[in-house]
Amino acid sequence: MRRLHWITALLVGTAALGPLSTPASAQLGRLKKMGADAIKDAAKTKAGLAEPSANSSAKKANTTITPERLDLVLTSLQPLVATAELTLAAVTPRAAYEAKRKAAEECVSAAQKSVSPAAMMSMDEKSIARLEGMQKQGEAMEKRVQAAMARKDAKAVIALRDSIQVLSATTQVIAMGGRCAYPHQPPELIALEASIRGQAYVDGSEQPWLNGKSAKPLEPTPEARKAMTREEFGLLRERMALWAMAQSDPELKKALEGKFTAEEIAALTAKSAELGRLGPLFKGGALGWVAWGDVREW
């Protein structure tokens, strides 16, 4: 009787099994890919000043790059850099993962069309024992999730919940007689999700705000807010980003020729190591730079 009840519950779950639920990492805003042509076009109009909005004071903004102002912008960006690097590193693994997820969803859809409740109810003892063993494995994982939450190990929580989801879906597919392969999230996506939503996973707090380019809102330091306006901060970051991207793009560098004073170039060159790290993040869209909409008001 116990097994009959368990198989019935499995049948209900199988009937409800649709596309794989989207993991939190897949809910992140997709990276905005900017091609070389788009960057060149942007450089022609944005190397010196961005187009201000009609009600903006940006027309009077001081966008001069000095060593002091450059340090203020770089310091304000620093909290976003690690997550931005993880975001960029996850682009290729994410694409491969989503392709496997799509294949699994198509496989499940096909299996559901041919599922036989009568056959499931008459499964042999070996098959039932295998499925019950998988169920116990899932219960053990749930206990590990609680232990990981207690020690505030966000990566472990995310990885274990992903494994539980895959195990649960695989159990239902096996019961249907299917052979659908469910993918696990790659380590790069787990690391990214832990960086962005880690605290929410271990204490149930509100998830951080996302803007599609950076994992967290850009909060300029008090020193930066005192030294410049919000528009000036955004425009300085924009000019700095263009210079950083141009160092690895000969065509863009050519387009920017004459857009920086000798003093500005000296200040930027002095920070070439830091800017060299940020250049790919700006170019790949992992760090915002085109406008200042992601910068908090002050």
Side-chain angles (χ1 to χ4, degrees):
M1 189 68 180
R2 179 181 63 84
R3 286 185 175 176
L4 180 60
H5 175 75
W6 182 78
I7 293 296
T8 302
L10 187 59
L11 276 166
V12 173
T14 299
L17 185 62
L20 286 169
S21 59
T22 303
S25 64
Q27 295 170 7
L28 299 176
R30 294 183 183 280
L31 292 175
K32 180 182 179 181
K33 295 181 175 64
M34 184 171 292
D37 290 341
I39 294 177
K40 293 173 191 173
D41 291 341
K44 293 176 183 177
T45 58
K46 294 181 174 289
L49 291 173
E51 288 296 325
S53 60
N55 59 356
S56 170
S57 62
K59 291 180 181 179
K60 300 178 182 179
N62 176 5
T63 64
T64 303
I65 295 174
T66 65
E68 296 75 20
R69 299 179 106 202
L70 185 57
D71 279 339
L72 291 172
V73 175
L74 287 171
T75 300
S76 297
L77 289 176
Q78 193 55 44
L80 304 181
V81 173
T83 298
E85 289 178 328
L86 291 172
T87 299
L88 204 59
V91 172
T92 299
R94 183 198 300 279
Y97 170 66
E98 290 182 348
K100 291 178 181 177
R101 277 173 45 84
K102 182 179 179 181
E105 290 168 1
E106 291 173 350
C107 178
V108 168
S109 179
Q112 285 177 325
K113 293 176 181 178
S114 60
V115 65
S116 170
M120 290 179 67
M121 294 297 290
S122 61
M123 278 193 292
D124 58 61
E125 292 293 313
K126 185 177 180 179
S127 297
I128 291 175
R130 180 188 177 192
L131 291 173
E132 290 184 331
M134 294 175 73
Q135 184 181 37
K136 290 179 181 178
Q137 185 180 353
E139 292 169 355
M141 285 184 184
E142 290 286 2
K143 292 180 180 179
R144 291 171 60 191
V145 168
Q146 296 305 313
M149 291 179 69
R151 65 176 185 270
K152 298 189 180 299
D153 187 343
K155 271 190 180 181
V157 172
I158 296 166
L160 283 165
R161 284 181 173 172
D162 177 65
S163 293
I164 290 170
Q165 176 182 317
V166 171
L167 181 67
S168 175
T170 301
T171 300
Q172 294 177 21
V173 169
I174 290 174
M176 289 191 298
R179 295 179 177 273
C180 306
Y182 285 82
H184 287 273
Q185 287 190 60
E188 294 86 351
L189 284 183
I190 290 174
L192 174 60
E193 190 167 344
S195 175
I196 294 174
R197 295 188 171 94
Q199 196 62 30
Y201 272 97
V202 298
D203 64 12
S205 61
E206 185 178 352
Q207 295 180 353
W209 178 83
L210 301 174
N211 65 21
K213 297 182 181 68
S214 305
K216 301 174 183 177
L218 178 51
E219 298 273 10
T221 63
E223 294 78 11
R225 295 197 295 271
K226 186 181 296 185
M228 63 191 89
T229 66
R230 178 170 174 261
E231 289 87 351
E232 286 174 338
F233 181 95
L235 293 170
L236 281 166
R237 178 184 60 172
E238 185 175 349
R239 298 188 69 217
M240 180 190 77
L242 285 164
W243 189 90
M245 290 186 289
Q247 303 318 295
S248 60
D249 186 334
E251 290 300 315
L252 181 54
K253 193 169 186 178
K254 183 178 179 181
L256 292 175
E257 187 176 354
K259 299 296 184 181
F260 296 92
T261 66
E263 292 78 11
E264 288 179 323
I265 292 174
L268 290 161
T269 301
K271 294 291 183 178
S272 58
E274 292 177 61
L275 292 171
R277 180 184 180 188
L278 300 184
L281 305 179
F282 287 127
K283 187 172 182 179
L287 278 179
W289 66 274
V290 176
W292 55 82
D294 61 323
V295 182
R296 285 285 175 86
E297 297 275 1
W298 71 82

